[in-house]
Amino acid sequence: MGLNGLIEDAEQQHRPGALPRLKVAVVGAGGAGCNSIDAMTRMDAENLRFIAVNTDSLHMSSISADEKILIGKRLTKGRGAGGDPQIGEDSAVEAENEIRDALTGYDIVFLTGGLGGGTGTGSLPVIAGIAKKNRAMVIAIVSTPFSYEGGARKERAAEGMERLLSITDSTIVLDNNRLMEIAPDLPIDRAFMVMDTVISRVIKGIMDAITRPTIMNIDFSDFRNIMKMGGLSTVLYAENSDTVKLVSEAISSPFLDVDYSGARGALINIVGGKRLNMRQISQISGSFTKQLDDKANIAIGLGVDESLGSEIHLLAVLTGIPRNDMIIKNRPVPEIKMNEMPSERIAEMIR
């Protein structure tokens, strides 16, 4: 049989089957976390249950979610944590049974929120612990404070981060300061919509990578083993038809401020049109894997989506990143640089 016949035979036999359905919850805690949940309910995110958790009853009333849990009813009487993480923690402990019931039966629990305040910083580690006791894989996606918010808030964020890192399977860090750099003139509500969109894309990208039938699947066991490398993680995402530009765009992701060299795990998912070829796959994957630990656990997924044409979508989740002082940086308030990210790109993200 010639090469053409071999290819035709292989194409006829390729019939991706349905993958097992996973139960996945996304929990947003505190003001920023609940705002992210509210935004995600309006986006294209299938098979996810959205749960909002807060101590502030007024803010909670304006949020859309599949389930809302007001914590600290006796402690705060629905008036918020006042920026005190201890009150946020105690409020979550007070509502432990309600949180446990809400998170029972899930395979994966994503947590999201802003660090440095009261409710999110204090309650997220408690919620993570409850989800872990329920045998779920727990992945936190959290944002760090703006530099102008001061040292006390940064210190609270660092303490909250340490607690999360000790409990979650993996913690992904997003840097709020980047909003000052890429979208200084956007109205504040639209600027935060950009960050909410980034969080939504991270979650959706991970779920697509492990649940959609593709040429090379990343199964749940692969995903679990890589995410269980623990500690700090980062996500790189890009869309481009040029391989070199795709890699460059992913590496220079505007919201992530972590040096991932030496990471011990990587989940790389590449989806392209019918023209996606092995050379492109090798170039894209190699750009990341060469910077990882020599013994890194790597899973690569490949998919074809004819609607993409020549465009390629890349998602890389890098885990087990060595700890360093880059988790929460002592960054100066950034100098405003106009047009660092083209306005049409920003508009595209929050459309």
Side-chain angles (χ1 to χ4, degrees):
M1 178 185 292
L3 179 59
N4 288 339
L6 195 63
I7 293 172
E8 287 177 10
D9 220 30
E11 287 177 342
Q12 288 176 3
Q13 292 181 36
H14 175 60
R15 296 288 186 274
L19 298 178
R21 188 184 180 98
L22 296 172
K23 288 195 67 179
V24 182
V26 185
V27 182
C34 287
N35 287 339
S36 292
I37 291 293
D38 187 64
M40 280 187 272
T41 59
R42 298 186 177 97
M43 296 175 184
D44 179 23
E46 298 178 359
N47 304 324
L48 301 176
R49 183 167 178 79
F50 296 107
I51 302 171
V53 176
N54 209 345
T55 56
D56 185 339
S57 60
L58 183 61
H59 184 261
M60 181 82 84
S61 67
S62 66
I63 296 297
S64 295
D66 296 315
E67 184 172 353
K68 300 179 185 182
I69 303 176
L70 182 65
I71 61 175
K73 294 174 186 175
R74 290 190 294 273
L75 181 62
T76 75
K77 297 180 171 52
R79 297 170 184 165
D84 186 341
Q86 188 60 56
I87 292 178
E89 178 181 345
D90 293 344
S91 296
V93 171
E94 180 187 303
E96 183 175 355
N97 291 336
E98 192 174 354
I99 295 170
R100 181 184 296 109
D101 290 345
L103 296 183
T104 296
Y106 286 96
D107 301 295
I108 304 173
V109 174
F110 289 98
L111 305 178
T112 185
L115 296 182
T119 303
T121 309
S123 69
L124 281 170
V126 176
I127 298 169
I130 293 170
K132 290 294 291 181
K133 286 179 181 176
N134 278 351
R135 299 176 178 267
M137 174 177 292
V138 181
I139 302 167
I141 307 172
V142 293
S143 57
T144 55
F146 289 100
S147 294
Y148 62 71
E149 293 181 276
R153 195 172 181 90
K154 188 183 74 172
E155 187 175 331
R156 291 195 296 267
E159 292 171 358
M161 178 76 73
E162 289 296 333
R163 293 193 61 204
L164 273 177
L165 287 167
S166 69
I167 300 170
T168 62
D169 291 290
S170 204
T171 297
I172 297 166
V173 186
L174 303 177
D175 183 9
N176 265 333
N177 287 291
R178 299 303 181 89
L179 289 174
M180 290 285 291
E181 297 174 12
I182 69 167
D185 293 330
L186 272 183
I188 188 67
D189 59 335
R190 291 179 66 79
F192 280 110
M193 281 176 64
V194 175
M195 187 62 84
D196 291 335
T197 301
V198 172
I199 295 170
S200 178
R201 284 190 176 184
V202 168
I203 293 173
K204 186 176 185 300
I206 290 173
M207 293 311 303
D208 285 350
I210 63 176
T211 60
R212 284 191 174 183
T214 56
I215 295 172
M216 284 177 60
N217 289 327
I218 298 173
D219 63 32
F220 183 63
S221 295
D222 290 332
F223 177 68
R224 179 183 288 276
N225 290 338
I226 289 170
M227 299 310 289
K228 280 189 174 295
M229 293 292 173
L232 194 64
S233 300
T234 193
V235 174
L236 308 178
Y237 183 85
E239 302 173 2
N240 207 298
S241 56
D242 182 282
T243 303
V244 175
K245 290 180 179 178
L246 179 82
V247 172
S248 175
E249 184 180 325
I251 291 174
S252 60
S253 176
F255 294 101
L256 305 164
D257 203 13
V258 174
D259 177 9
Y260 60 82
S261 56
R264 294 181 290 115
L267 180 153
I268 300 171
N269 195 53
I270 302 167
V271 181
K274 291 199 72 173
R275 294 184 180 180
L276 179 67
N277 59 55
M278 293 304 297
R279 180 181 287 108
Q280 290 174 307
I281 292 165
S282 177
Q283 289 173 340
I284 294 168
S285 300
S287 298
F288 300 107
T289 56
K290 67 182 180 183
Q291 300 185 59
L292 306 181
D293 183 88
D294 290 341
K295 297 180 180 179
N297 187 357
I298 300 168
I300 298 176
L302 303 174
V304 172
D305 182 345
E306 295 184 19
S307 69
L308 294 181
S310 62
E311 192 169 78
I312 303 170
H313 290 188
L314 165 68
L315 173 79
V317 183
L318 308 175
T319 66
I321 296 172
R323 299 289 303 279
N324 52 46
D325 62 358
M326 296 183 70
I327 295 176
I328 298 179
K329 288 190 169 184
N330 291 301
R331 296 171 60 109
V333 176
E335 177 186 352
I336 303 303
K337 297 179 181 180
M338 300 301 293
N339 300 321
E340 192 153 313
M341 176 181 277
S343 58
E344 62 269 17
R345 290 293 308 281
I346 296 173
E348 199 175 284
M349 291 182 73
I350 60 178
R351 186 171 299 155

